[in-house]
Amino acid sequence: SCPVNAITAGDNTLKFLRDLATPNKIVITQMAPAIRVTVGEAFGFEPGDNVENKLAAGLRKLGVDYVFDTTWAADLTIMEEAAELQDRLERYFSGDKTVKLPILTSCCPAWVKFIEQNHADMLDVPSSAKSPMQMFATVAKDLWAKEKGFARNQVTSVAIMPCTAKKYEASRPEFSRGLNYDVDYVITTKELIKIFEDTGINLKEIEGQEIDQVLGEYTGAGIIFGRTGGVIEAATRTAVEKMTGKKVDNIEFECLRGWEGFRTCELEVGDLKLRIGVAHGLREAGKMLDKIRSGEEFFHAIEIMACTGGCIGGGGQPKARNKKEALEKRAEGLNDIDRSKELRRSNENPEVLAIYDKYLDYPLSHKAHELLHTRYFARIKK
Ligand code: SF4
């Protein structure tokens, strides 16, 4: 269940198996950045071991037609979020007092629901960029499927995610065309492990395979989305270089990293000085928002993740005997993947840049807004 009791939602395991067995359905999957460093734990791998190629092989063995990667869309999310951050900061530094700061990252549906329920006066603060899961799904159904000659309702879009909050997010009406949802349903890591176990697929033994292109290519910035501080670090890598016009040598912003529930980073790059806040766990997030609202704290940007450690600690992830140690290893696993990548900035992802060339023009364009952005609503707690 969701560790913050934010959401509960149903198990779609049987639906998934039924869809895989239906001849005319085209089943595509996406997997969140954090999944690949946790799912292996159920098959004898260490926390943090990257098993993405084995996951791809396992999903194909189950019958999935296209195995894609949410991390591709994490890079797309950063293109939009970093452009929004840059736009708000440039207007703020030029003296425009109407600009709303801080800007908040918006890819965790549990905290989005939390702010809608508890801080309805602050709904203009979050970035309007959809989460990577929702960006992936809308691009897959509205652009990729069309290119392949598939009708929207011929494609079943399944997201492998670290939490049940993502099931709730997928069911929000703004992410559907009538009864056809961009994400048809979500399977959690634990549910996928059970499916693999029940069907005799052992990730330890299976030969790894590549993730499908074109919705599979990702950079180091996209992969660190899975740990606390990673989303804002990825956005900062792109926004700071765009604002200063200079390449930053060390893009591992240490002050954004760490395990304190609520931390502050004063980041200086050239003449640019940014104050950034990071919170994980809803209690810490609540404290942060209260301090911002009262004027006690000022930030240019903040990241909030509902789960301790971020998505590597999500309620749909395998339970670890030593939680702290497992979270540290999972986070380091993601950092290792980041370091291993030649491309470590989202704005360097060739497949993301190709989407702008072909369909979206540029970040925050009218077309990008139509497809990749959303709105938030005040909600009553039930
Ligand atoms: Fe889900 Fe990640 Fe948010 Fe936890 S931090 S609720 S795993 S999106």
Side-chain angles (χ1 to χ4, degrees):
S1 64
C2 180
V4 290
N5 281 332
I7 290 85
T8 54
D11 183 339
N12 294 301
T13 301
L14 285 178
K15 206 191 251 186
F16 186 39
L17 293 173
R18 221 175 16 238
D19 285 337
L20 289 170
T22 306
N24 293 331
K25 286 203 173 178
I26 293 143
V27 179
I28 66 170
T29 56
Q30 56 166 309
M31 54 171 122
I35 305 299
R36 72 209 68 211
V37 292
T38 62
V39 70
E41 292 165 35
F43 300 93
F45 289 91
E46 281 296 305
D49 285 352
N50 177 13
V51 298
E52 65 183 26
N53 291 344
K54 285 172 178 279
L55 256 176
L59 288 165
R60 280 200 197 100
K61 199 157 187 216
L62 282 175
V64 173
D65 295 294
Y66 294 89
V67 179
F68 291 130
D69 201 329
T70 318
T71 320
W72 173 86
D75 281 330
L76 184 61
T77 303
I78 287 304
M79 294 297 282
E80 295 296 315
E81 272 193 4
E84 232 181 318
L85 174 62
Q86 182 182 354
D87 173 63
R88 287 201 209 180
L89 288 177
E90 282 175 350
R91 287 193 287 130
Y92 176 80
F93 288 131
S94 68
D96 182 349
K97 296 294 172 224
T98 63
V99 177
K100 197 79 181 178
L101 286 176
I103 183 167
L104 286 86
T105 58
S106 53
C107 52
C108 171
W111 96 255
V112 166
K113 188 173 183 192
F114 178 84
I115 199 171
E116 287 180 326
Q117 288 181 327
N118 299 288
H119 298 267
D121 56 320
M122 298 173 85
L123 293 183
D124 52 351
V125 176
S127 159
S128 61
K130 288 179 186 174
S131 72
M133 177 180 84
Q134 292 302 152
M135 278 202 191
F136 174 93
T138 193
V139 169
K141 279 203 174 173
D142 290 331
L143 303 180
W144 173 84
K146 208 180 267 179
E147 259 191 20
K148 296 291 262 183
F150 302 142
R152 195 181 148 91
N153 60 7
Q154 218 183 328
V155 175
T156 301
S157 162
V158 182
I160 320 284
M161 290 286 138
C163 65
T164 49
K166 286 282 175 191
K167 297 190 184 211
Y168 152 78
E169 182 186 19
S171 72
R172 286 176 68 124
E174 59 271 27
F175 300 135
S176 71
R177 301 279 158 81
L179 292 177
N180 188 277
Y181 282 77
D182 295 343
V183 174
D184 288 280
Y185 48 88
V186 168
I187 299 282
T188 65
T189 322
K190 280 196 281 200
E191 287 164 359
L192 182 65
I193 289 168
K194 177 93 176 44
I195 293 171
F196 282 153
E197 286 171 346
D198 290 350
T199 52
I201 295 172
N202 185 340
L203 294 192
K204 196 83 186 179
E205 288 164 5
I206 203 166
E207 196 67 38
Q209 294 176 0
E210 293 299 315
I211 292 166
D212 281 305
Q213 299 299 337
V214 294
L215 305 179
E217 173 94 35
Y218 67 82
T219 73
I223 202 71
I224 56 173
F225 261 61
R227 61 145 174 88
T228 170
V231 182
I232 199 67
E233 183 172 331
T236 307
R237 286 181 187 181
T238 292
V240 159
E241 289 192 354
K242 293 232 179 244
M243 287 179 76
T244 59
K246 290 191 187 111
K247 196 108 172 155
V248 179
D249 288 333
N250 184 6
I251 49 167
E252 291 183 21
F253 300 125
E254 281 301 328
C255 70
L256 292 170
R257 301 184 176 194
W259 295 97
E260 304 83 17
F262 174 0
R263 49 194 194 270
T264 300
C265 168
E266 312 268 353
L267 194 67
E268 258 188 81
V269 184
D271 294 337
L272 192 64
K273 290 189 180 66
L274 297 180
R275 193 157 198 275
I276 300 175
V278 178
H280 55 128
L282 281 186
R283 188 184 300 165
E284 296 300 327
K287 268 193 229 162
M288 179 188 265
L289 291 177
D290 286 341
K291 286 187 177 183
I292 292 166
R293 187 196 252 155
S294 69
E296 193 184 327
E297 282 280 13
F298 172 81
F299 296 104
H300 295 103
I302 61 176
E303 175 199 292
I304 295 175
M305 288 291 173
C307 300
T308 303
C311 297
I312 48 172
Q317 299 277 38
K319 282 230 172 355
R321 266 196 305 277
N322 183 336
K323 191 173 176 193
K324 186 170 175 288
E325 187 191 62
L327 286 181
E328 284 172 1
K329 285 184 168 177
R330 291 170 180 178
E332 216 26 55
L334 294 178
N335 289 338
D336 285 343
I337 301 174
D338 170 31
R339 284 185 209 108
S340 74
K341 290 275 173 190
E342 204 177 311
L343 303 178
R344 299 181 70 190
R345 298 159 178 85
S346 298
N347 51 300
E348 296 170 336
N349 185 327
E351 297 300 347
V352 166
L353 297 177
I355 283 274
Y356 282 102
D357 277 350
K358 256 178 157 170
Y359 298 107
L360 301 172
D361 297 338
Y362 51 87
L364 303 185
S365 70
H366 181 67
K367 287 180 196 165
H369 262 288
E370 273 189 349
L371 209 64
L372 306 180
H373 288 253
T374 187
R375 288 187 306 133
Y376 307 107
F377 305 93
R379 285 175 202 276
I380 296 165
K381 260 193 204 167
K382 287 186 189 147

